[in-house]
Amino acid sequence: MTVKLYRGAPYLHTQENEAFETLCLLGDRHLHDKGDVRILGNVRCGRYEIDALVMSERSITIIDFKDYGGTITVHEDGTWVTDGGVTVKGGSYLNLFEQVRAYKRGMMNWLEGTVGLSDANDVSHISGLALFTRPVTIGLSDVPPTVSKWFRAVDFTGGLRWLRYISSAKLDLRHGNLDRIVAHLEVEPFTPAQLEDATSNAQSIRAEMWRICKTSTISGWLIGNSKTETGCKKKLIG
């Protein structure tokens, strides 16, 4: 199964660009067992600008990045505060839960009005993450179980665990539905810088190995037993 990465325009803030690259790298490494997965960054969905979406065959998760760490007090309807006394707001909303909840409602309306998923999909099962880019501990929290079923405030360690396990039988994005959603969003395929570097390095290594092969004493044996230059490359680098 495949993990495909997409992004709209680059983010305006350095920490958001870095956070999305981290999410892509972790997702590409750890989410393959969820089947087909799509990770999208800087997405406009109706009138809302969403930091990231992670969609699998049985889940849609809205993510909002926040560059805080330490111990954070979390409330459903109250102010979120760090252990240093800093208020953690959700854009123009009182807190991150209210922000993600508004995004969820907006995306539900957008999916129903624009994409038109089948009746087999209950889009109220969209989930949400307030994803902190630094390690956090959630202190006092009065978020009720009805909310924590679909919303979490976590750092990357907890976020990746949530993304691996979140699933709903009420969502079925197989049979091309994932790509139908992507097609309605203004995003392009995205490759994180570290994956680009790894691909470039691998290609350089293969090219150098082939150069050595052609000039070495084993090249005659390799080509002779492979019939073609392509076959020689396959024998040499697998």
Side-chain angles (χ1 to χ4, degrees), residues 201-236:
N201 289 339
Q203 291 172 342
S204 298
I205 291 169
R206 290 189 180 98
E208 178 63 12
M209 291 174 70
W210 172 237
R211 186 191 67 77
I212 293 170
C213 168
K214 290 194 295 184
T215 59
S216 72
T217 57
I218 68 169
S219 62
W221 180 89
L222 284 167
I223 295 175
N225 285 273
S226 302
K227 308 252 190 257
T228 66
E229 182 176 302
T230 300
C232 176
K233 290 181 180 178
K234 288 182 178 178
K235 281 181 174 291
L236 184 64

Side-chain angles (χ1 to χ4, degrees), residues 85-110:
V86 177
T87 299
V88 181
K89 296 188 70 176
S92 60
Y93 297 89
L94 176 63
N95 60 47
L96 288 168
F97 169 68
E98 290 192 0
Q99 182 182 29
V100 173
R101 180 175 59 185
Y103 289 0
K104 174 178 176 176
R105 290 170 177 167
M107 187 164 193
M108 288 169 59
N109 292 333
W110 179 82

Side-chain angles (χ1 to χ4, degrees), residues 54-68:
V54 177
M55 303 188 297
S56 70
E57 296 173 355
R58 294 289 183 180
S59 66
I60 300 174
T61 302
I62 295 169
I63 296 175
D64 195 79
F65 299 125
K66 276 293 178 276
D67 189 30
Y68 293 92

Side-chain angles (χ1 to χ4, degrees), residues 32-200:
H32 286 275
D33 57 353
K34 287 183 69 71
D36 285 327
V37 174
R38 305 292 181 263
I39 302 176
L40 299 84
N42 208 12
V43 176
R44 176 171 285 280
C45 186
R47 67 186 182 91
Y48 297 106
E49 292 184 359
I50 297 173
D51 283 350
L53 286 175
V54 177
M55 303 188 297
S56 70
E57 296 173 355
R58 294 289 183 180
S59 66
I60 300 174
T61 302
I62 295 169
I63 296 175
D64 195 79
F65 299 125
K66 276 293 178 276
D67 189 30
Y68 293 92
T71 300
I72 299 178
T73 300
V74 172
H75 300 286
E76 180 183 8
D77 299 315
T79 302
W80 293 21
V81 183
T82 70
D83 51 359
V86 177
T87 299
V88 181
K89 296 188 70 176
S92 60
Y93 297 89
L94 176 63
N95 60 47
L96 288 168
F97 169 68
E98 290 192 0
Q99 182 182 29
V100 173
R101 180 175 59 185
Y103 289 0
K104 174 178 176 176
R105 290 170 177 167
M107 187 164 193
M108 288 169 59
N109 292 333
W110 179 82
L111 285 170
E112 291 171 343
T114 302
V115 180
L117 295 175
S118 69
D119 293 339
N121 285 280
D122 181 353
V123 293
S124 69
H125 284 248
I126 292 172
S127 55
L129 283 179
L131 186 56
F132 292 95
T133 59
R134 291 181 259 168
V136 296
T137 299
I138 302 303
L140 175 66
S141 173
D142 61 6
V143 175
T146 53
V147 170
S148 61
K149 285 182 178 180
W150 69 268
F151 174 82
R152 298 291 173 89
V154 289
D155 53 23
F156 273 108
T157 299
L160 185 63
R161 185 180 302 114
W162 172 260
L163 291 171
R164 289 188 66 182
Y165 297 131
I166 187 68
S167 180
S168 173
K170 299 291 187 179
L171 290 172
D172 186 357
L173 302 182
R174 298 171 296 172
H175 313 301
N177 279 325
L178 282 172
D179 292 325
R180 283 181 59 206
I181 295 172
V182 172
H184 280 85
L185 298 167
E186 296 180 5
V187 294
E188 298 291 338
F190 175 74
T191 303
Q194 292 185 50
L195 287 182
E196 287 179 342
D197 293 343
T199 300
S200 176

